[in-house]
Amino acid sequence: MAIIGLPYKYLKRLTGTDHETILARLPMIGSEVERQETDHADVEFFPDRPDLFSVEGVARAMRGFLDIETGLPRYTVKPSGIKFTIDPNLAAIRPYLGSAIIRNLSFDEESILSIMGLQEALHWAVGRGRSKVAIGIHDLDTIKPPFHYIASPRSRKFIPLDFERELSMDEILEKHPKGRDYAKIVKDFPLFPLIIDNENNVCSFPPIINGERTRVTTRTKNILLDTTGTDKKAVQVAVNIICTAMAETGAAIESVEIDGVQTPLLAPVERIVSVRECCDLIGVELPATEIANLLEKMRFGAQPVGRDTVKVQVPCYRADIMHDWDIFEDVAIAYGYDKFAVEISPTFAIGRAHPVYTIAAQVRGILTGLGYLEMMPFTLTNERVLYDAMQRERSSRVLSLMHPISEEQTVVRTDILPLLLEMLQVNKPRELPQRLFATGDVIEDMRTTQRLAAASIHLNADLSEAYACTDAVLRELSITYIVQESKDPAFIDGRRGDIIAGGKKVGVFGEIHPAVLNAFDLEHPVAAFELDLRAVPGYPYL
Amino acid sequence: MAELTQNEKRLLAALVKEHKADAPHLATLLDTTPEAVIQWAHLLEDKGLVRHERMVDKTFIYTDEGKEYLKHGLPETQLLKFIRNDTPLVELQKHAAFRIGFGQLRKKGLISVNNGVVLKVGEPSTADDEAALKNPRAGGQRTKDLIKRGILQETESVQNTVSIQPEGLALAKQGLDLREETGTLTRDQILTGEWKNLNLRRYDIAKLPRRVYPGKTHPYQRLIEEMRQILLEMGFTEIYGDIVQSSFWNFDALFQPQDHPAREMQDTFYLKEQAPLPTGWEKVRDMHERGGETSSTGWGGTWNKKKAEQCVLRTHTTSLSIQHLAANPNPPVKAFCISRVYRREAIDPTHTPEFEQLEGIVMDKGVSFRHLLGYLKEFYGRMGFEDVRFRPAYFPYTEPSVEPEIYVDGLGWVEMGGAGIFREEVTAPWGITYPVLAWGLGVSRVAMLKLGLKDLRLLYRSDIEWIRESPVHRDQKVTKGGRK
């Protein structure tokens, strides 16, 4: 999500209407007003609408939405006569280039910040942090065309933005803040991308930093825009968004010749869409003329063709239109999400609970019937709690996270009982007796299965209690079982049993070993058990 | 007026006669111990019917040694009588009182020894000590010495007196039923009919008993059950699936591009393990690269099979929904799931790395965006949120997309989940030809609202006091039930 600052005065100048009206309707185009200050508002837009990441873009959209100026915005582009060459050695490094010349600008501090804001927002939304697209803006009058996008030796020196002396490109990656931030995008290449003018002055080192020479100031009147990157579409869309935003302020856009082709053209893309498909998707019956009308409010060009189709011109700055349905969403937005006559569909189906959850609900019933309180501990834990504190051997079959967020969550639990003992520890100050249970997922060898664990702590908790409870639960779940002496080190030797059902060990019960009590800082005996719910007859997935 | 126990009544009756008496005397009268009398007296005193006074007297008693000295004088006194002006020490040692008396006389500076001869110092006298022995005084220095020497012992003598008050007399005048009372009935008394002759003790119902707490499901689980119930009643089938999913099902099948920020290791828990791709995976690849057979442009670029095989802890329940649809491509499908999902987020009061998410999908011929808004209104309405409004939104796998907002007293309009129609790029690879309506929400957030919690962590690291005190049936208007 990108947050854009919208100054009221400027917004009014661009739209011709007051900011209260605009802010009231802005959410209905797809945004959230974060805060309203005395002179501006901060608004959040979604990452699929980078064309709204500037006041100019917002104003353009709202003029349509509020019926002030509808239809496709038209931008004229004259050839500048300037050429921009691409070094074929960049093909494996950073192959795509977009560019434009923008003239007749009048910058004040606010508008410089605005265009830099747009640049950064585009880097984030479209550029994936500059790797897909990086944007450079240069004072045109400080450099001489034609311009060259080359693959340069890493040792090449120039004065980067904000610095006073020359650094080599390698040094910039180490010493310049932007160099450190984005070094990983280029550092493994033998040559670095570089944009120079005809007199070998450095304009920029994409995607890292511009040269100090071409710094944009309040005196800048004309701009060279460059976009470079690894995605051809993204590179072009970035140019389109910036050029059209600047054109909204009255600047003149001129194209540049790259590889014999004039660019940008800022021309719309045409699509022919089906009226039937649109009405079926959004659930409102609209004739072709109305659909065209609504699309014009969203700044598309749209003309009905007969009764069944609409010809649509998609503005060059709309990065999000990939499929006909993207256009239909705009029809719905223009129609107004608050205008729909909502009702559920007549789809008939009979509800059915999943057996895993039905069994879980029964288990809860049994344990609450025995007076136990339910806990819902985390499934993420660590090996100290899961194994060491339980005196159990660490298992190699436990699922580990590749990049844990903390030492406390490094693996997914294979048992629930350790987490339950942790819950007893958390509740030490509370009145005894405490009887807690938990049922839920564990992961063994990547498969998710369900367990039940229960623990009872008080002055007289003992094996009898653990056994009686376990027996009650197994009876209520219709599990036929036998008991064998257990070797589980979490329990006291001579006070522990393995539950065997269907010839397999499905659980364990007993009195918790005092070393384990110490590890969890517990002060009274604990009677506990754990059961694998796959032992329940009729359990799915075996 | 609270009920008196039988013992209280007996004590009160005794005091009507005695008016004022000490505890031992009353104990004898009532055939009990003085301690019991004091207990009953307190109960009566609480009701303002008697007054209990406790006086503590410090007294002294003589040890056996002390009794001896009282008769014959202190050892130093006895020894002193024996000493003339120059008694040889060896002579003195024959005296019975020498052992203690000698040391005392020396200590008090009454005698001195020179060359085996004992001499008196001045006009020695033990009269003051004798006086202290006969009449010990609390706090006196000589008395303290005698106590130290084990001759005297200090004791407290406590006297408890109980006296009847006017209110007590008045009550007694009304008549006291002194018949023996029965507490718990025995089997015999019930069967034989003996109960008809018994005076059943009255218990004080103003006194609250010790609290009993039933076993309970977790308050959060109860909320989840409410939501399950709503969806089952609306005809939805519950789905369930593994926590571990391949990136293919978690991201790629949902048309999330392989360079999407959410797929970065900062936001998702990646695992070392790989999973094989399902049959038909090529269609998803084609969809990403060129938009498949649909009107889509796709994302372009080259789709990486290895990336799709990488396993993750599922980041949303949508990964289960798409698998359910792939296995059930024919309409109608109404399915839901409420289960745990994982995001790589540090634990703080509003974020946990694992939390519950709810997802509902409807696939049918002729369903539309209008119906999706209808399901949202219906579902939130049944959850108790009557005021719902809709705002355009964006999710990578839905188009159109919508964000429902609900009105909460005190908070205003709160965003609650997201919804949309699955993009054709998501459904086409599995041969699904009808629209799929989908909506989801973070259940933990709803729980915080409904359970009045400020800290998300309390759902998973719960204070059992909170569980004990959370009523199973919530009165939506009042915060706490129980006796006023």
Side-chain angles (χ1 to χ4, degrees):
Chain A
M1 308 288 273
I3 301 186
I4 310 298
L6 302 175
Y8 299 150
K9 279 216 200 82
Y10 193 19
L11 195 58
K12 178 154 186 176
R13 187 151 56 88
L14 290 171
T15 56
T17 191
D18 60 281
H19 68 270
E20 285 99 359
T21 310
I22 294 176
L23 291 175
R25 296 290 293 153
L26 204 47
M28 292 319 287
I29 206 175
S31 69
E32 206 175 313
V33 181
E34 288 289 303
R35 71 193 75 89
Q36 294 187 37
E37 311 280 8
T38 46
D39 63 342
H40 76 281
D42 286 328
V43 182
E44 205 173 4
F45 291 98
F46 293 102
D48 68 330
R49 292 295 303 270
D51 61 293
L52 296 175
F53 290 170
S54 67
V55 196
E56 296 84 3
V58 173
R60 172 179 59 204
M62 289 314 285
R63 287 201 305 273
F65 200 59
L66 296 171
D67 261 319
I68 297 170
E69 179 194 64
T70 61
L72 185 74
R74 299 210 175 268
Y75 302 103
T76 43
V77 184
K78 271 184 11 218
S80 63
I82 292 174
K83 284 201 171 65
F84 210 136
T85 65
I86 307 183
D87 182 344
N89 288 322
L90 286 164
I93 298 174
R94 197 171 176 80
Y96 302 108
L97 171 72
S99 178
I101 304 290
I102 307 175
R103 294 195 188 274
N104 299 341
L105 290 150
S106 55
F107 275 124
D108 58 15
E109 288 299 336
E110 209 177 52
S111 47
I112 291 185
L113 285 173
S114 172
I115 196 170
M116 290 185 158
L118 176 57
Q119 196 181 352
E120 280 315 303
L122 288 174
H123 279 158
W124 167 78
V126 184
R128 297 280 185 261
R130 297 197 187 186
S131 57
K132 247 169 125 165
V133 176
I135 302 162
I137 300 179
H138 314 273
D139 187 329
L140 181 63
D141 301 318
T142 64
I143 42 183
K144 295 249 172 310
F147 303 108
H148 308 284
Y149 177 39
I150 61 169
S152 161
R154 295 163 63 132
S155 52
R156 166 78 195 248
K157 283 178 187 250
F158 70 96
I159 306 177
L161 202 60
D162 295 329
F163 274 47
E164 278 167 356
R165 58 180 186 89
E166 282 195 338
L167 291 169
S168 73
M169 296 167 94
D170 269 322
E171 283 175 308
I172 289 173
L173 291 188
E174 263 177 73
K175 299 199 177 129
H176 197 288
K178 292 282 182 256
R180 286 196 290 269
D181 287 342
Y182 298 105
K184 61 181 182 314
I185 301 175
V186 288
K187 69 176 168 54
D188 294 326
F189 293 120
L191 302 166
F192 284 160
L194 190 70
I195 296 180
I196 52 175
D197 75 351
N198 207 39
E199 291 176 1
N200 209 12
N201 295 306
V202 171
C203 304
S204 71
F205 168 13
I208 310 290
I209 189 75
N210 283 2
E212 179 60 41
R213 184 193 188 87
T214 61
R215 178 191 280 275
V216 167
T217 66
T218 50
R219 287 192 307 269
T220 303
K221 290 274 166 275
N222 305 298
I223 272 179
L224 168 71
L225 169 68
D226 82 76
T227 65
T228 62
T230 53
D231 184 309
K232 192 167 182 189
K233 239 187 354 178
V235 161
Q236 194 53 53
V237 125
V239 172
N240 293 349
I241 289 175
I242 295 180
C243 286
T244 54
M246 296 283 92
E248 292 286 327
T249 68
I253 313 294
E254 293 182 0
S255 63
V256 153
E257 189 188 307
I258 299 180
D259 271 345
V261 178
Q262 288 297 324
T263 175
L265 297 174
L266 303 185
V269 172
E270 206 167 81
R271 270 184 182 261
I272 310 229
V273 301
S274 149
V275 170
R276 185 72 265 145
E277 205 183 336
C278 180
C279 296
D280 284 350
L281 185 72
I282 66 178
V284 185
E285 285 302 307
L286 297 167
T289 45
E290 183 56 20
I291 291 178
N293 211 24
L294 292 171
L295 285 173
E296 299 239 316
K297 271 180 73 166
M298 301 303 283
R299 305 314 306 262
F300 293 87
Q303 305 81 39
V305 177
R307 293 221 301 243
D308 300 332
T309 57
V310 177
K311 186 154 54 156
V312 183
Q313 292 86 42
V314 179
C316 65
Y317 54 76
R318 285 298 295 262
D320 61 311
I321 307 297
M322 286 169 62
H323 184 286
D324 288 351
W325 289 12
D326 295 302
I327 293 179
F328 301 158
E329 183 185 61
D330 271 34
V331 174
I333 292 175
Y335 181 78
Y337 277 24
D338 47 353
K339 304 268 189 327
F340 280 76
V342 308
E343 66 177 354
I344 61 174
S345 65
T347 309
F348 176 76
I350 299 184
R352 203 169 1 115
H354 196 282
V356 162
Y357 296 117
T358 306
I359 289 173
Q362 287 170 337
V363 163
R364 283 191 194 97
I366 299 168
L367 271 295
T368 56
L370 287 166
Y372 280 68
L373 293 178
E374 185 179 19
M375 293 298 268
M376 295 174 73
F378 286 127
T379 56
L380 295 177
T381 181
N382 56 76
E383 287 168 297
R384 182 186 51 81
V385 167
L386 201 55
Y387 299 119
D388 302 346
M390 301 292 283
Q391 304 206 112
R392 290 169 172 166
E393 238 180 71
R394 291 190 176 195
S395 165
S396 56
R397 292 160 69 193
V398 70
L399 197 66
S400 299
L401 303 176
M402 265 181 83
H403 308 108
I405 196 126
S406 91
E407 272 176 14
E408 299 297 306
Q409 286 94 34
T410 57
V411 300
V412 185
R413 70 189 183 196
T414 50
D415 305 277
I416 299 185
L417 188 53
L419 283 293
L420 207 56
L421 295 178
E422 252 194 335
M423 291 299 103
L424 287 178
Q425 185 179 8
V426 162
N427 281 287
K428 260 187 79 173
R430 297 304 180 203
E431 212 180 285
L432 297 182
Q434 294 176 12
R435 297 195 164 91
L436 307 180
F437 80 94
T439 179
D441 295 333
V442 298
I443 298 191
E444 248 176 24
D445 292 326
M446 300 238 287
R447 293 311 309 276
T448 307
T449 61
Q450 280 66 47
R451 296 275 188 93
L452 161 68
S456 164
I457 185 169
H458 57 96
L459 275 76
N460 301 111
D462 61 7
L463 171 70
S464 269
E465 184 180 345
Y467 201 164
C469 219
T470 306
D471 175 64
V473 171
L474 293 166
R475 270 185 289 118
E476 294 301 328
L477 288 171
S478 295
I479 297 174
T480 320
Y481 73 102
I482 58 168
V483 172
Q484 274 174 16
E485 282 285 339
S486 175
K487 289 204 174 52
D488 191 332
F491 298 88
I492 297 173
D493 186 14
R495 302 186 188 183
R496 56 190 179 183
D498 282 341
I499 307 164
I500 314 288
K504 287 202 308 268
K505 173 174 163 190
V506 297
V508 65
F509 65 89
E511 217 183 297
I512 295 288
H513 196 284
V516 176
L517 296 177
N518 287 157
F520 285 101
D521 198 25
L522 298 171
E523 294 171 5
H524 301 284
V526 173
F529 70 88
E530 183 155 0
L531 175 67
D532 185 337
L533 292 176
R534 285 177 294 184
V536 177
Y539 190 87
Y541 314 124
L542 270 167
Chain B
M1 165 53 124
E3 296 291 332
L4 298 180
T5 62
Q6 201 203 11
N7 286 324
E8 283 173 82
K9 287 187 224 169
R10 288 173 62 215
L11 177 58
L12 194 63
L15 284 170
V16 168
K17 280 210 236 73
E18 306 275 323
H19 269 262
K20 180 171 176 167
D22 68 28
H25 176 63
L26 290 166
T28 316
L29 281 178
L30 300 170
D31 190 23
T32 184
T33 62
E35 287 76 19
V37 168
I38 295 170
Q39 232 185 29
W40 305 338
H42 282 156
L43 292 172
L44 286 170
E45 197 177 33
D46 282 341
K47 298 169 185 108
L49 301 171
V50 305
R51 198 151 78 89
H52 164 240
E53 278 170 272
R54 184 173 183 268
M55 281 170 313
V56 179
D57 262 329
K58 270 208 172 71
T59 54
F60 297 96
I61 56 172
Y62 297 97
T63 59
D64 288 336
E65 203 185 326
K67 289 195 187 118
E68 269 294 310
Y69 298 156
L70 200 58
K71 259 203 256 166
H72 303 121
L74 292 163
E76 56 266 33
T77 312
Q78 293 176 39
L79 197 63
L80 198 57
K81 286 204 196 109
F82 212 66
I83 300 173
R84 284 170 298 286
N85 258 339
D86 45 5
T87 312
L89 186 59
V90 288
E91 280 259 343
L92 208 55
Q93 282 169 339
K94 294 185 195 147
H95 197 285
F98 177 84
R99 195 171 60 83
I100 299 171
F102 186 70
Q104 286 294 325
L105 290 173
R106 283 271 292 259
K107 205 159 78 164
K108 290 175 183 160
L110 296 174
I111 56 167
S112 66
V113 183
N114 200 2
N115 284 338
V117 179
V118 180
L119 301 159
K120 292 195 192 179
V121 174
E123 302 276 355
S125 164
T126 58
D128 290 333
D129 289 305
E130 288 293 338
L133 180 65
K134 289 206 179 53
N135 293 304
R137 192 171 57 80
Q141 185 55 51
R142 292 185 196 274
T143 310
K144 282 207 193 118
D145 284 340
L146 291 172
I147 295 171
K148 243 204 252 160
R149 285 169 62 181
I151 295 171
L152 280 175
Q153 266 178 353
E154 211 176 351
T155 56
E156 281 181 352
S157 89
V158 182
Q159 210 188 25
N160 285 292
T161 11
V162 188
S163 45
I164 196 166
Q165 299 292 289
E167 293 84 354
L169 275 169
L171 184 68
K173 253 218 183 79
Q174 290 173 30
L176 295 169
D177 184 350
L178 292 174
R179 280 183 302 164
E180 203 179 299
E181 293 175 328
T182 309
T184 311
L185 287 163
T186 67
R187 182 172 178 267
D188 257 2
Q189 289 165 344
I190 295 168
L191 288 178
T192 58
E194 174 66 17
W195 59 267
K196 293 182 196 140
N197 305 329
L198 297 176
N199 182 21
L200 297 176
R201 183 190 307 158
R202 298 178 66 80
Y203 295 129
D204 189 353
I205 62 166
K207 251 178 53 182
L208 270 173
R210 186 158 183 268
R211 265 205 178 177
V212 162
Y213 294 104
K216 283 192 229 184
T217 49
H218 196 283
Y220 184 32
Q221 185 63 39
R222 293 202 288 273
L223 187 68
I224 292 176
E225 289 301 320
E226 274 175 45
M227 293 185 188
R228 279 186 78 226
Q229 199 55 36
I230 292 172
L231 287 159
L232 288 169
E233 282 172 11
M234 284 170 72
F236 283 69
T237 294
E238 192 170 30
I239 57 183
Y240 158 85
D242 277 283
I243 290 173
V244 176
Q245 297 290 336
S246 60
S247 291
F248 180 82
W249 284 122
N250 199 73
F251 296 120
D252 295 282
L254 294 168
F255 200 54
Q256 235 165 325
Q258 291 190 325
D259 62 0
H260 194 276
R263 292 179 79 149
E264 246 138 82
M265 55 144 241
Q266 275 102 277
D267 298 327
T268 298
F269 283 119
Y270 277 95
L271 307 166
K272 297 188 297 315
E273 289 76 358
Q274 314 272 113
L277 300 186
T279 328
W281 65 267
E282 297 90 342
K283 292 217 171 82
V284 170
R285 173 199 62 198
D286 293 342
M287 195 56 77
H288 277 248
E289 289 180 350
R290 302 176 277 107
E293 311 286 308
T294 70
S295 70
S296 176
T297 59
W299 297 114
T302 322
W303 188 80
N304 186 329
K305 186 166 182 265
K306 268 256 157 289
K307 261 200 168 153
E309 288 167 343
Q310 184 92 31
C311 286
V312 300
L313 296 185
R314 68 186 176 215
T315 61
H316 42 198
T317 40
T318 326
S319 54
L320 300 178
S321 304
I322 184 62
Q323 286 176 74
H324 182 79
L325 284 165
N328 299 280
N330 297 316
V333 168
K334 277 163 87 167
F336 82 98
C337 176
I338 303 177
S339 49
R340 218 169 270 200
V341 299
Y342 299 79
R343 302 269 170 94
R344 197 173 170 278
E345 251 162 16
I347 298 185
D348 72 31
T350 54
H351 298 94
T352 49
E354 48 184 300
F355 54 93
E356 275 65 26
Q357 222 182 38
L358 174 152
E359 177 124 337
I361 53 174
V362 175
M363 186 263 278
D364 198 10
K365 188 164 185 217
V367 297
S368 68
F369 189 63
R370 186 173 70 89
H371 295 132
L372 174 61
L373 300 184
Y375 277 105
L376 290 169
K377 191 161 193 316
E378 181 70 32
F379 175 73
Y380 284 108
R382 290 195 188 208
M383 292 225 308
F385 300 117
E386 294 295 336
D387 279 318
V388 191
R389 69 176 188 191
F390 304 111
R391 249 195 318 121
Y394 166 73
F395 307 105
Y397 32 86
T398 53
E399 192 83 7
S401 312
V402 57
E403 219 157 53
E405 283 179 327
I406 52 155
Y407 193 80
V408 179
D409 264 321
L411 287 175
W413 289 100
V414 178
E415 171 223 311
M416 190 63 66
I421 300 186
F422 273 175
R423 295 187 72 101
E424 213 193 344
E425 293 97 329
V426 172
T427 52
W430 311 104
I432 298 161
T433 44
Y434 298 110
V436 177
L437 314 178
W439 77 94
L441 77 143
V443 178
S444 341
R445 271 196 81 192
V446 180
M448 282 181 75
L449 262 180
K450 287 205 160 225
L451 301 174
L453 291 177
K454 303 261 183 313
D455 192 331
L456 192 52
R457 297 170 288 190
L458 293 174
L459 289 178
Y460 305 101
R461 285 189 163 257
S462 308
D463 182 349
I464 63 176
E465 200 64 19
W466 171 63
I467 299 178
R468 283 172 172 160
E469 299 298 329
S470 283
V472 170
H473 176 87
R474 283 190 320 271
D475 182 343
Q476 309 290 356
K477 295 182 217 80
V478 172
T479 37
K480 230 183 171 96
R483 203 179 104 163
K484 286 219 241 296

